Amino acid sequence: MKRLLSGITPTGELHIGHYIGAITHFIEMQKSYESFVFVADLHSLTVNPDPKELKENIRKMVGVYLACGLDPKQTCLFNQSENIYHPMLSWALECNSYMGELSRMTQYKEKSQNKQSESVTCGLFTYPVLMASDILIYDADVVPVGGDQKQHVELTRNIAERFNNKYGTTFKIPNPVIAESGARIMDLQNPNKKMSKSDENPKGVIFLLEDIQKARKKIMSAVTDSDNVIKYDVANKPGISNLITIYSCLTNENIDNVEEAFANASYGEFKTKVADEVEKLLQNIQTKYNEIIKGDYIDNVLDEGLKRAEKIAKEKAYDVYKKLGVGRY
Ligand code: AMP
Ligand code: TRP
């Protein structure tokens, strides 16, 4: 069985964009891959989040993933920060990565742009190397990520190839898997912009744990054009196209069928149907979440996951240190 690995960053609340664009993919893929999914809590330190909030977000995030259907029997789930072999490998890889290549990373450039160098952490700069370690330490075959992370997986491949050439074959070369088109969910108030947790206007975003009536209202007041024709046309009708995408993803109907089914419907009628689907989804997730979050289920899942992950990671980290000639590995 091929191995899948991905990390999820615990910043802010999860929304339906995450559900459609990331979570459902893990849930689908866990059936056919040996899966490792971890909370990338070390990566979130690069922007110095509030410790209390971070701690809560981590638990919430694991709870939501489990409530959405991530199955700990199929997916090894753990916290990155508890697996000390990730940063152990990262240091070795940092010493085999170059300032030039890291300076070219788009995410770094974007996040550090217009900032004084005193407010940009070194961690933000070396972030992709830690990510490379996360991936290479498990000999991952596939790495499902959003489009913005593809460059980091490509860097990971370069680092791995270079290391293999210099020190002998050590790492498997991983492949990024980018979610197919249609998976980009846009902001309900500004459909030209991706739905995002960092949004200033929460009316454009549907959070998975939010009040269901509030979520319905957000769908009902989503910005659309005034043609009253339910047609998928992203360039000219971004608002209605976004609602079609959401409906299509939540019902597993293809877009042509959705257009056909609602050919004679008004926007109001269609929005009601989209709101019904969103309500069903949120209801389902929240019922499970409220159950999961209560006892020590999450801790047990993370303990089990860590045990499995550590075993594999330790072996790889030791192999690398041995090849580099440090310590007595
Ligand atoms: P983020 O929390 O923005 O770093 O997103 C984590 C992952 O969730 C991304 O890599 C995407 O795969 C997915 N994702 C986030 N927002 C959206 C969105 N609006 N539409 C589709 N997928 C999304
Ligand atoms: N950087 C990723 C993101 O922001 C999270 C991440 C950390 C990750 N390590 C990873 C994703 C390893 C895939 C593989 O989404």
Side-chain angles (χ1 to χ4, degrees), residues 2-112:
K2 295 222 177 207
R3 194 172 278 175
L4 172 153
L5 173 121
S6 199
I8 44 183
T9 315
T11 40
E13 308 236 4
L14 293 166
H15 53 66
I16 55 165
H18 291 121
Y19 179 79
I20 292 171
I23 304 177
T24 51
H25 292 285
F26 290 137
I27 290 164
E28 205 38 49
M29 290 177 91
Q30 69 181 353
K31 297 179 196 145
S32 31
Y33 288 91
E34 184 191 6
S35 298
F36 292 79
V37 174
F38 63 89
V39 180
D41 51 359
L42 290 178
H43 275 107
S44 59
L45 292 184
T46 53
V47 290
N48 300 144
D50 175 72
K52 193 167 162 269
E53 246 170 59
L54 177 59
K55 204 169 187 66
E56 279 168 15
N57 280 340
I58 293 170
R59 195 171 158 81
K60 228 186 205 177
M61 185 135 178
V62 174
V64 172
Y65 267 75
L66 292 168
C68 288
L70 204 72
D71 177 1
K73 287 195 201 77
Q74 298 185 82
T75 297
C76 176
L77 193 59
F78 62 99
N79 282 329
Q80 177 191 33
S81 62
E82 293 170 17
N83 192 337
I84 54 166
Y85 303 106
H86 290 225
M88 178 174 171
L89 177 60
S90 193
W91 177 253
L93 295 186
E94 271 179 40
C95 295
N96 283 279
S97 307
Y98 297 95
M99 299 288 287
E101 58 189 351
L102 294 188
S103 310
R104 285 192 291 276
M105 292 295 114
T106 313
Q107 192 181 58
Y108 170 71
K109 285 199 277 192
E110 280 172 10
K111 287 199 177 174
S112 59

Side-chain angles (χ1 to χ4, degrees), residues 247 250-251 272-282:
Y247 187 83
L250 296 185
T251 56
T272 306
K273 295 290 182 193
V274 180
D276 289 346
E277 291 306 321
V278 168
E279 173 168 348
K280 250 192 262 171
L281 175 76
L282 265 49

Side-chain angles (χ1 to χ4, degrees), residues 15 17-18 21-22 145-146 148 183-186 194-195 197:
H15 53 66
H18 291 121
V145 282
D148 62 328
R184 223 169 118 85
I185 305 302
M186 311 308 274
K194 210 172 105 167
M195 186 181 283
K197 57 194 171 192

Side-chain angles (χ1 to χ4, degrees), residues 226-282:
S226 49
D227 299 354
N228 240 347
V229 181
I230 296 164
K231 188 152 180 41
Y232 188 80
D233 176 355
V234 175
N236 299 309
K237 297 163 73 66
I240 207 70
S241 301
N242 187 36
L243 292 177
I244 294 176
T245 304
I246 294 172
Y247 187 83
S248 145
C249 290
L250 296 185
T251 56
N252 276 325
E253 273 298 342
N254 69 40
I255 286 176
D256 290 344
N257 288 351
V258 178
E259 281 179 345
E260 207 183 301
F262 292 97
N264 299 316
S266 68
Y267 281 0
E269 285 162 344
F270 180 55
K271 281 177 169 177
T272 306
K273 295 290 182 193
V274 180
D276 289 346
E277 291 306 321
V278 168
E279 173 168 348
K280 250 192 262 171
L281 175 76
L282 265 49

